[in-house]
Amino acid sequence: MPEPQDKKPQLAAPELSVILVAGGQRKRATAALRSLLGQSIIDRIEILFFDLGPKDCPALPGSDHPRVRMTRGGPKDLSAARVQGVHAAHAPVVCFMEEHCEVQPGWAEATVLAHRGPWAGVGCDFINGNPNAGRSDKAFRMNYGVYVRPQRGRGPVKQIAGQNSAFKRDILLRYEPQLEIMMSADLVLQWKMARDGSQFFYEPTAKMAHRNPNT
């Protein structure tokens, strides 16, 4: 008996799950999602998109892409959405991406390749997404200066950015049922990982533009 003509094609198993949580800032969330969909290995990525914006907001352009799994409403806050995403992820590596960021070309591939090593977490290189805009340069140096181009360059590091880094999913799940509360403060979970013997890696060929406060 022939298969139904409308049967959806089977998608390849993802190597990277990106958890993206958006609220009312629709323009910058659209840019974040677009940057993910433009990655060279989008066929090996799944995007777990949690749209927590107002109910009357239209869906973001690109949210109907076959590599996007969208949840509208639901989780009560950022950390709850992210933990829900960790549980739902199909890939062995999970990235927590902020909606005011845009990944640069080659980011996903470099992240996946770096995670073939023994690292619990891989951090990327950051560039200022809104340079020369008010106080954005100062805010960027304050928040991300320590993670930009460490002195030793590519290789093992003591810590990576709490936000916008990628972690092995099985290691994250070790911290249940405290995972949600630990993720409420970005670096708490990472400090606990390091104390438990986990190692981290800085991958400068994976680049992300971070938009900063300008007032």
Side-chain angles (χ1 to χ4, degrees):
M1 185 174 180
E3 293 186 354
Q5 293 299 310
D6 60 350
K7 185 176 181 180
K8 292 183 179 179
Q10 190 71 27
L11 297 177
E15 296 182 52
L16 174 65
S17 296
V18 182
I19 299 173
L20 177 65
V21 183
Q25 296 285 354
R26 312 303 284 180
K27 184 176 180 180
R28 66 191 195 190
T30 296
L33 182 58
R34 185 190 306 120
S35 72
L36 287 169
L37 294 175
Q39 291 294 295
S40 60
I41 60 166
I42 184 59
D43 60 320
R44 290 185 274 154
I45 303 171
E46 71 170 353
I47 302 167
L48 300 167
F49 177 48
F50 290 86
D51 191 342
L52 309 186
K55 293 181 179 180
D56 58 349
C57 281
L60 290 189
S63 59
D64 57 347
H65 190 280
R67 303 306 302 195
V68 176
R69 296 165 58 194
M70 184 174 70
T71 300
R72 197 75 188 259
K76 62 183 182 298
D77 56 28
L78 180 64
S79 58
R82 287 179 168 176
V83 172
Q84 184 174 323
V86 172
H87 283 283
H90 292 145
V93 176
V94 174
C95 174
F96 303 111
M97 181 182 174
E98 293 178 305
E99 49 82 38
H100 49 270
C101 292
E102 294 177 47
V103 293
Q104 304 301 289
W107 167 85
E109 187 171 8
T111 298
V112 168
L113 288 174
H115 256 291
R116 292 178 181 172
W119 323 112
V122 171
C124 66
D125 186 33
F126 293 94
I127 59 177
N128 191 345
N130 58 332
N132 306 315
R135 298 188 177 180
S136 68
D137 292 329
K138 292 180 180 178
F140 179 65
R141 287 195 296 270
M142 252 190 337
N143 292 320
Y144 281 89
V146 69
Y147 306 114
V148 176
R149 302 175 187 86
Q151 289 183 345
R152 295 183 181 179
R154 182 180 189 271
V157 288
K158 291 186 177 179
Q159 68 178 37
I160 54 180
Q163 305 277 2
N164 305 305
S165 294
F167 300 88
K168 285 187 169 64
R169 179 175 178 269
D170 61 341
I171 295 179
L172 291 171
L173 290 174
R174 292 177 190 174
Y175 295 98
E176 287 284 33
Q178 290 84 27
L179 184 59
E180 182 176 333
I181 193 168
M182 292 171 75
M183 290 186 64
S184 296
D186 306 330
L187 295 176
V188 171
L189 177 62
Q190 193 180 136
W191 290 337
K192 175 62 174 169
M193 285 181 175
R195 195 170 69 177
D196 292 343
S198 291
Q199 296 177 300
F200 307 103
F201 191 84
Y202 168 65
E203 179 49 79
T205 61
K207 296 184 182 294
M208 187 178 297
H210 183 276
R211 190 174 182 85
N212 307 281
N214 57 17
T215 61

